[in-house]
């Protein structure tokens, strides 16, 4: 079964500090991993996908199949990064399009 | 395009009442998903449709929950009878099968059952 684990409910950092939001997954196959973000009073939206290998708003995430992780990183946090972040996985026995989310991590960046 | 449209945005009801949440997906999107968001469990997939056909409803909590998609532009999620533990934000999302597996979410319907 697909499973996504985000161990931290809340991550609080100061502006300019590095950020790492942890995500581990369980899946027997080749998953597709995503990070979605929900800013205050905004809709949940895609931040980045592992297959794109892109950096969005300074965030990057590398898929580590050995550790089954897809941690989200940013070297210098900004106040506008404060939001709810969800790691998600697609793929599996029940169909490629089924997207399973973790429980989310709230990032709070203080000035 | 106005994106995925959900109604109502907020619903407050009493235990035992029927609740109907509505969703209009983006035109041309052939997948529709219903998610429930709570503090404890995060985002849970309840059910999803492909071309108006339910594909996986294994996430639907119990028989009190039902979902329909009578046509490509409309879906409903019904709870009957509602209970306080159903209080949550319910999200609808749609996706185009050729769209790189990326979901577009609605603004959500916040349900409070007293």
């Amino acid at each position: 079964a697909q499973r996504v684990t985000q161990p931290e409910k809340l991550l609080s950092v100061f502006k300019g500090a590095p950020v790492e939001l942890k995500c581990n997954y369980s899946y027997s196959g080749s998953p597709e991993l995503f990070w979605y973000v929900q800013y205050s009073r905004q809709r949940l939206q895609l931040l980045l996908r592992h297959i794109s290998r892109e950096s969005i708003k300074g965030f990057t995430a590398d898929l580590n199949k050995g550790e089954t992780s897809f941690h989200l990183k940013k070297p210098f946090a900004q106040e506008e990064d404060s939001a709810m972040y969800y790691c998600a996985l697609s793929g599996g026995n029940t169909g490629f399009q089924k997207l399973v989310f973790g429980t989310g991590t709230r990032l709070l960046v203080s000035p | 395009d106005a994106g995925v449209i959900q109604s109502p945005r907020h619903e407050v009801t009493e235990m035992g009442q029927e609740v109907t949440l509505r969703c209009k997906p983006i035109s041309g999107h052939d997948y529709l998903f219903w998610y429930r968001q709570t503090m404890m469990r995060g985002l849970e997939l309840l059910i999803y449709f492909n071309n108006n056909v339910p594909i996986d409803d294994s996430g639907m909590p119990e028989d009190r929950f039902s979902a329909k998609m009578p046509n490509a532009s409309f879906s409903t999620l019904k709870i009957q009878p509602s209970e306080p533990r159903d209080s949550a934000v319910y999200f609808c999302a749609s996706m185009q099968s050729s769209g790189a597996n990326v979901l577009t979410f609605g603004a959500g319907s916040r349900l409070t059952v007293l």
Side-chain angles (χ1 to χ4, degrees):
Chain A
Q2 303 161 233
R3 186 167 183 170
V4 177
T5 302
Q6 293 181 252
E8 303 144 326
K9 281 198 173 294
L10 173 66
L11 183 62
S12 185
V13 302
F14 288 105
K15 176 182 174 182
V19 168
E20 182 178 67
L21 300 170
K22 290 184 169 46
C23 172
N24 288 90
Y25 67 90
S26 172
Y27 175 62
S28 56
S30 295
E32 188 170 359
L33 275 296
F34 305 79
W35 277 98
Y36 278 76
V37 61
Q38 188 175 26
Y39 299 102
S40 178
R41 302 185 187 280
Q42 293 189 29
R43 302 183 181 202
L44 195 64
Q45 58 188 288
L46 178 70
L47 179 63
L48 55 79
R49 310 166 57 204
H50 90 270
I51 64 173
S52 299
R53 296 186 175 276
E54 58 199 344
S55 174
I56 302 295
K57 298 184 178 182
F59 284 98
T60 59
D62 292 320
L63 178 60
N64 186 323
K65 292 187 177 181
E67 296 182 358
T68 60
S69 68
F70 188 56
H71 302 328
L72 184 68
K73 300 178 184 179
K74 184 169 183 176
F76 308 103
Q78 302 299 314
E79 289 180 66
E80 55 264 31
D81 296 328
S82 295
M84 194 73 178
Y85 291 81
Y86 289 95
C87 182
L89 177 153
S90 180
N93 302 328
T94 52
F96 186 69
Q97 285 79 14
K98 181 175 178 175
L99 199 62
V100 175
F101 286 83
T103 51
T105 298
R106 182 169 296 282
L107 175 65
L108 180 60
V109 182
S110 304
Chain B
D1 195 334
V4 176
I5 300 172
Q6 290 187 246
S7 65
R9 290 295 311 278
H10 303 274
E11 173 96 6
V12 180
T13 190
E14 292 186 345
M15 182 173 64
Q17 296 298 306
E18 178 179 293
V19 173
T20 300
L21 307 178
R22 299 172 179 80
C23 176
K24 182 181 187 306
I26 291 175
S27 177
H29 282 195
D30 51 345
Y31 280 86
L32 184 140
F33 304 81
W34 281 101
Y35 284 88
R36 179 171 67 176
Q37 183 186 45
T38 60
M39 288 287 290
M40 292 300 297
R41 297 187 175 185
L43 273 168
E44 300 173 277
L45 177 62
L46 301 177
I47 185 171
Y48 76 95
F49 297 82
N50 178 221
N51 292 322
N52 314 336
V53 176
I55 303 301
D56 185 345
D57 66 353
S58 59
M60 295 286 261
E62 48 198 271
D63 291 346
R64 296 185 297 107
F65 285 69
S66 62
K68 294 182 180 180
M69 192 165 185
N71 57 63
S73 59
F74 184 66
S75 177
T76 60
L77 177 67
K78 187 174 293 187
I79 308 172
Q80 166 63 20
S82 58
E83 296 182 3
R85 59 188 168 131
D86 301 329
S87 298
V89 180
Y90 291 82
F91 286 101
C92 177
S94 69
M95 183 188 79
Q96 192 173 48
S97 53
S98 60
N101 225 21
V102 174
L103 272 61
T104 301
F105 281 83
S109 293
R110 182 177 294 277
L111 172 65
T112 302
V113 183
L114 303 175

